């Protein structure tokens, strides 16, 4: 249905549902939303279900805003807001977006700013004519969050985004050619390997790219096969869907804008911030190692401008015949399984993303109940016959034992971690050990992006598990703000830590030891027989982390002074502490499939080494009785 037809339909139904005393000055389509502008502020009365009825009748997302002619001037609007908003809301900042008619309210207690059943929001709309948007203030300062929020409110950016959303809406609601529906997926990366995850979903009327990652362990082919004929030209891609922010899924997303893509990106709100953080760091690491970077910071900003955030459980049209819903995948902050509803229900497909089917210290377990489901594309990182991990409590005890043994020898503990996910899990364990008096006064240093990523976790408590969420909400006993943690502020501070004689614990990025500040600690401590490196996350094939984990006695690190590399002896103890992984082990993967509802007709495996994929597929066929396939990169599978 073309945009013009959508607007005609909304006008027709509005005359039947909306009282005669309510008029509309304009109707516009912005992405999948139909926005109606009215000078009649009484439409925002409490418990008004007119909008809901209209949305149900036209089967579209309806937003009603006040016409600009009835908006109060900003000064008067601010005064009125002070009268309306309860003190308990804890308003930190108020910003007016004159381009879109929004007033952005940053609150420490968003629930009070919204009011029961939205009563406060409706009062604001009625009395000042501005559309209130409530956002949570972070209890820990996040430069990334602050920069993105300020950037999106710049007049030029806001005006450009309004035009962009209109353009997206026209593309979503466009006329299509009649014909037989089909559903196909082309494997562009991450199949029979871990890294460069990328899939192309194709239907009769749509092309959607799911993830666009990088493989640090594959120097010959680190990028997805974006030159495949199904993908090009990139202008033909309707949208990109990002399941989560880890670089093996998100690193090359900004590169798409270099080669002509200018469409929308769909992800959860925290994924937008985390992806931006990690992509900027990716540029720094690549430059520091003298490697070519396929994009620059402007392309990251363009990705931010083109992102349409979507919360868990919300559904949106992304193309003429595809609806998208995100569900929690339990892997990292904001990680999601992407559920696609094709056409009028002809087919339903889920891309699992990376999943953790277990309640963790950070998140609730992955969702595996969907409204409808025929096809599943699923990760298999730990799908091998013997890929069983200990419980998290056992992992915590193991880490404590390793720390104790190292401290007795007056050594230092180096834990390479991903900035997002594993860092925060290890922090929670260390904070608990500290609160129990087991770490005494030993300092814990956080180097790299860990502090910033942790601040983003505090900014989105609704994505955390119930116990942790309440601690952040109440801003009491927030474990992330414990006095035990020290942020490494500078290169000089890092050098001081490297040269210290007393025991210390350092959490540093990157998690696979393929760049970042962890390299400096490794350079200094690797020759020390008394120190220990503890791996708590997956080490991909070809990475420095995997070589060290497998027992390399000598490694070559970048020579800062002369260029090239220098040999470094590895005498430190190398330990692997399992139980911290953000991926499901074999037992959890099988439980995920046994309890998934409804049962899919076909399962495709990706995100796993070739042998593990095949072993997992065999078990799925024998034990779960599902049709399971293991495609290679560049294969296309037809689902319908």
């Amino acid at each position: 249905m073309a945009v013009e037809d959508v607007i005609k339909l909304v006008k027709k139904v509005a005359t039947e549902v909306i009282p005669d005393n309510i008029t509309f000055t304009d109707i516009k389509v912005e992405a999948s939303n139909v926005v109606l502008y009215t000078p009649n502020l009484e439409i925002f009365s409490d418990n008004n279900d007119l909008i809901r009825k209209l949305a149900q009748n036209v089967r579209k997302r309806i937003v009603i805003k006040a016409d600009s002619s009835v908006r109060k001037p900003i000064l008067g609007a601010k005064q009125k807001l002070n009268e309306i908003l309860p003190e308990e809301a804890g308003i930190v900042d108020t910003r007016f977006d004159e381009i879109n008619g929004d007033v952005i309210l940053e609150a420490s207690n968003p629930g009070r700013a919204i009011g029961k059943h939205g009563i406060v929001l409706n009062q604001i709309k009625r009395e000042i004519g501005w559309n209130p948007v409530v956002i949570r203030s972070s209890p820990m300062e996040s430069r990334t969050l602050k920069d993105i929020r300020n950037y999106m409110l710049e007049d030029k950016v806001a005006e450009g985004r309004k035009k962009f959303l209109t353009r997206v809406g026209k593309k979503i609601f466009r006329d299509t050619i009649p014909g037989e529906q089909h559903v196909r997926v082309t494997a562009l990366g991450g199949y029979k390997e871990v890294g460069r995850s990328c899939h192309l979903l194709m239907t009769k009327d749509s092309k959607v790219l799911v993830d666009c990652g990088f493989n640090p362990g594959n120097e010959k082919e680190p990028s997805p096969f974006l030159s495949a004929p199904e993908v090009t030209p990139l202008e033909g891609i309707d949208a990109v869907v990002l399941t989560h922010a880890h670089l093996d899924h998100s690193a090359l997303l900004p590169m798409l804008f270099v080669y002509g893509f200018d469409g929308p990106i769909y992800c959860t709100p925290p994924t937008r911030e985390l992806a931006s953080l990690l992509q900027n760091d990716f540029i720094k690491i690549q430059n520091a190692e003298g490697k070519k970077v396929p994009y620059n910071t402007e392309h990251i900003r363009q990705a931010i401008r083109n992102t349409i955030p979507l919360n868990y459980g919300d559904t949106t049209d992304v193309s003429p015949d595809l609806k998208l819903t995100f569900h929690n995948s339990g892997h990292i902050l904001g990680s999601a399984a992407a559920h696609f509803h094709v056409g009028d229900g002809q087919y339903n497909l889920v891309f699992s993303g990376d999943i953790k089917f277990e309640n963790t210290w950070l998140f609730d377990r992955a969702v595996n109940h969907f409204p409808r489901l025929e096809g599943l594309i699923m990760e298999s990182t730990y799908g091998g016959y013997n890929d069983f991990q200990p419980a998290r409590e056992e992992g915590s005890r193991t880490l404590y034992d390793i720390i104790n043994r190292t401290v007795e020898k007056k050594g230092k503990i180096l834990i390479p971690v991903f900035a997002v996910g594993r860092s925060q899990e290890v922090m929670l364990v260390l904070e608990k050990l500290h609160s129990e008096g087991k770490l005494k006064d030993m300092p814990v240093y956080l180097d790299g992006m860990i502090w910033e990523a942790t601040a983003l976790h505090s900014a989105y408590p609704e994505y955390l598990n119930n116990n942790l969420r309440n601690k952040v909400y109440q801003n009491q006993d927030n474990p992330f703000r414990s006095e035990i943690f020290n942020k490494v502020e500078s290169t000089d501070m890092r050098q001081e830590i490297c040269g210290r004689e007393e025991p210390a614990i350092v959490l540093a990025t990157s998690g696979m030891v393929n760049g970042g500040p962890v390299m400096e600690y490794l350079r200094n401590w690797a020759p020390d027989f008394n120190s220990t490196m503890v791996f708590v996350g997956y080490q991909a094939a070809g990475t420095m982390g995997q070589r060290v984990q497998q027992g390399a006695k000598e490694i070559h690190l970048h020579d800062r002074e002369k260029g090239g590399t220098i040999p470094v002896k590895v005498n430190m103890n190398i330990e692997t502490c399992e139980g911290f992984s953000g991926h499901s082990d074999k037992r959890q993967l099988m439980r995920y499939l046994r309890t998934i509802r409804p049962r899919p007709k076909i399962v495709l495996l990706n995100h796993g080494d070739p042998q593990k994929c095949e072993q997992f597929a065999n078990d799925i066929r024998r034990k779960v009785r599902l049709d399971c396939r293991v495609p290679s990169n560049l294969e296309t599978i037809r689902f319908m």
Side-chain angles (χ1 to χ4, degrees):
M1 183 182 291
V3 166
E4 295 77 13
D5 297 324
V6 171
I7 291 174
K8 284 180 183 177
L9 175 63
V10 171
K11 283 182 178 178
K12 178 179 179 296
V13 176
T15 58
E16 300 168 358
V17 174
I18 307 294
D20 294 339
N21 63 317
I22 303 294
T23 60
F24 296 103
T25 55
D26 200 3
I27 299 178
K28 293 181 178 179
V29 171
E30 297 179 2
S32 65
N33 295 331
V34 181
V35 185
L36 292 80
Y37 293 87
T38 178
N40 307 109
L41 298 182
E42 60 269 25
I43 196 172
F44 301 115
S45 61
D46 299 333
N47 302 317
N48 194 318
D49 64 351
L50 295 178
I51 301 172
R52 180 177 56 82
K53 285 182 180 178
L54 180 57
Q56 286 176 342
N57 286 359
V58 300
R59 299 180 66 187
K60 297 287 182 288
R61 292 161 64 100
I62 299 294
V63 176
I64 296 186
K65 290 187 175 183
D67 186 81
S68 59
S69 63
V70 295
R71 289 184 209 148
K72 272 189 179 296
I74 290 178
L75 185 60
K78 282 184 176 179
Q79 293 173 344
K80 201 66 183 175
L81 283 171
N82 290 334
E83 298 173 14
I84 297 171
L85 288 163
E87 189 175 336
E88 298 82 10
I91 300 299
V92 175
D93 192 19
T94 302
R95 304 278 295 275
F96 288 84
D97 178 357
E98 297 185 67
I99 305 297
N100 294 291
D102 296 331
V103 54
I104 291 83
L105 305 171
E106 187 173 342
S108 56
N109 191 340
R112 292 300 183 95
I114 294 169
K116 191 174 183 180
H117 304 303
I119 188 171
V120 177
L121 296 187
N122 277 331
Q123 186 180 356
I124 291 171
K125 292 175 185 177
R126 280 198 315 274
E127 299 201 22
I128 69 172
W130 291 79
N131 181 58
V133 177
V134 180
I135 57 177
R136 180 181 300 280
S137 64
S138 177
M140 297 174 66
E141 184 178 349
S142 166
R143 181 177 177 180
T144 302
L145 189 62
K146 183 178 180 180
D147 287 350
I148 289 177
R149 286 176 174 176
N150 288 339
Y151 178 66
M152 295 301 287
L153 285 174
E154 291 178 9
D155 286 348
K156 188 176 180 180
V157 174
E159 191 168 350
R161 181 166 172 83
K162 192 175 181 71
K163 293 177 181 177
F164 166 73
L165 292 176
T166 300
R167 177 161 54 84
V168 171
K170 289 180 178 179
K171 196 168 184 181
I172 291 173
F173 301 114
R174 65 180 187 262
D175 283 326
T176 57
I177 300 171
E180 182 183 355
Q181 182 61 275
H182 64 260
V183 179
R184 297 184 296 155
V185 171
T186 296
L188 298 176
Y191 286 78
K192 295 184 181 178
E193 64 178 344
V194 176
R196 61 170 175 171
S197 288
C198 192
H199 331 256
L200 180 67
L201 169 61
M202 296 170 285
T203 66
K204 179 176 73 71
D205 299 308
S206 309
K207 284 186 178 182
V208 172
L209 204 65
V210 180
D211 292 340
C212 192
F214 180 79
N215 188 346
N218 187 344
E219 293 186 1
K220 292 183 179 179
E221 292 286 351
S223 307
F225 292 94
L226 296 175
S227 60
E230 296 93 334
V231 185
T232 55
L234 289 177
E235 293 93 324
I237 302 293
D238 286 281
V240 175
V241 172
L242 181 59
T243 60
H244 67 284
H246 275 156
L247 290 176
D248 59 325
H249 294 255
S250 75
L252 298 184
L253 194 152
M255 186 183 73
L256 299 175
F257 294 96
V258 177
Y259 296 103
F261 176 73
D262 193 24
I265 299 165
Y266 295 90
C267 63
T268 62
T271 295
R272 179 185 67 174
E273 275 78 63
L274 289 171
S276 166
L277 175 68
L278 296 178
Q279 289 157 359
N280 276 291
D281 191 65
F282 176 72
I283 290 178
K284 292 177 186 175
I285 291 175
Q286 293 292 99
N287 283 331
E289 296 180 356
K291 296 177 181 177
K292 184 179 179 181
V293 184
Y295 56 85
N296 58 42
T297 54
E298 170 53 31
H299 300 112
I300 297 176
R301 286 192 290 272
Q302 190 168 359
I304 292 169
R305 293 195 299 270
N306 284 32
T307 295
I308 300 176
L310 192 68
N311 286 309
Y312 293 153
D314 290 346
T315 300
T316 186
D317 293 282
V318 296
S319 69
D321 60 353
L322 285 175
K323 294 183 188 298
L324 168 68
T325 309
F326 283 137
H327 299 274
N328 171 39
S329 72
H331 177 60
I332 64 169
L333 182 70
S335 62
H339 179 281
F340 289 95
H341 179 83
V342 181
D344 294 322
Q346 290 106 318
Y347 206 84
N348 293 267
L349 191 65
V350 168
F351 291 82
S352 77
D354 292 356
I355 55 175
K356 185 65 176 177
F357 197 59
E358 172 191 54
N359 293 328
T360 68
W361 289 304
L362 283 170
F363 310 113
D364 294 327
R365 73 180 187 182
V367 169
N368 71 335
H369 286 195
F370 306 99
R372 299 176 68 176
L373 178 63
E374 283 80 36
L376 173 66
I377 292 90
M378 181 179 178
E379 72 129 311
S380 52
T381 314
Y382 290 114
Y385 289 142
N386 300 311
D387 283 342
F388 299 106
Q389 299 171 7
R392 266 163 160 63
E393 290 73 18
E394 185 178 338
S396 176
R397 289 192 295 271
T398 301
L399 180 60
Y400 176 55
D401 290 342
I402 293 170
I403 292 171
N404 262 351
R405 291 198 301 270
T406 306
V407 171
E408 286 174 2
K409 296 186 292 184
K410 308 295 183 185
K412 274 79 71 177
I413 299 99
L414 175 60
I415 308 178
V417 284
F418 300 108
V420 181
R422 301 297 70 72
S423 300
Q424 291 72 37
E425 291 255 345
V426 175
M427 285 173 67
L428 291 176
V429 170
L430 294 176
E431 190 276 334
K432 186 172 186 293
L433 292 173
H434 172 73
S435 66
E436 294 171 351
K438 294 180 178 179
L439 292 185
K440 299 181 180 178
D441 295 323
M442 184 165 30
V444 177
Y445 295 101
L446 309 178
D447 204 343
M449 299 173 298
I450 299 170
W451 192 276
E452 180 65 21
T454 303
L456 288 172
H457 281 70
S458 288
Y460 289 101
E462 62 270 29
Y463 284 82
L464 306 175
N465 65 36
N466 190 56
N467 179 51
L468 193 53
R469 183 189 313 140
N470 288 336
K471 289 181 178 180
V472 176
Y473 274 155
Q474 296 163 9
N475 207 17
Q476 295 177 352
D477 301 321
N478 182 344
F480 296 135
R481 303 184 70 181
S482 170
E483 62 184 14
I484 189 178
F485 300 121
N486 302 275
K487 180 182 180 182
V488 179
E489 302 274 8
S490 64
T491 303
D492 289 343
M493 184 176 178
R494 184 179 302 136
Q495 290 302 322
E496 287 179 17
I497 298 167
C498 286
R500 67 178 283 140
E501 296 182 1
E502 301 82 5
I505 299 171
V506 172
L507 276 62
T509 55
S510 69
M512 294 188 188
V513 200
N514 57 323
V518 70
M519 309 305 287
E520 195 60 29
Y521 298 100
L522 183 61
R523 184 193 309 273
N524 284 273
W525 294 347
D528 180 13
F529 287 94
N530 296 323
S531 292
T532 302
M533 175 179 271
V534 187
F535 289 102
V536 294
Y538 180 81
Q539 303 300 306
T543 60
M544 177 72 74
Q546 190 197 54
R547 292 199 293 275
V548 173
Q549 188 182 42
Q550 292 182 347
K553 294 302 180 184
E554 184 176 275
I555 55 177
H556 287 79
L557 301 180
H558 179 63
D559 188 339
R560 296 189 304 269
E561 296 178 359
K562 300 179 181 179
T565 60
I566 54 173
V568 176
K569 293 288 184 184
V570 181
N571 298 325
M572 68 192 311
N573 303 293
I574 305 301
E575 301 274 3
T576 297
C577 185
E578 296 180 332
F580 288 89
S581 177
H583 293 273
S584 296
D585 70 357
K586 179 61 171 293
R587 188 181 296 107
Q588 293 159 4
L589 289 171
M590 293 298 287
R591 192 181 304 130
Y592 177 92
L593 280 172
R594 285 192 173 108
T595 59
I596 195 169
R597 294 293 181 272
R599 278 170 60 90
K601 296 176 181 177
I602 180 173
V603 178
L604 300 189
L605 296 183
N606 74 321
H607 204 288
D609 296 333
Q611 185 180 15
K612 293 180 186 293
C613 288
E614 294 294 351
Q615 290 176 354
F616 188 28
N618 287 335
D619 277 346
I620 291 172
R621 297 182 195 113
R622 288 189 303 109
K623 298 179 180 179
V624 192
R625 303 292 182 183
L626 287 172
D627 180 8
C628 184
R629 305 178 195 179
V630 184
S632 299
N633 286 328
L634 290 178
E635 278 192 55
T636 296
I637 304 296
R638 181 171 180 176
F639 289 82
M640 173 187 169

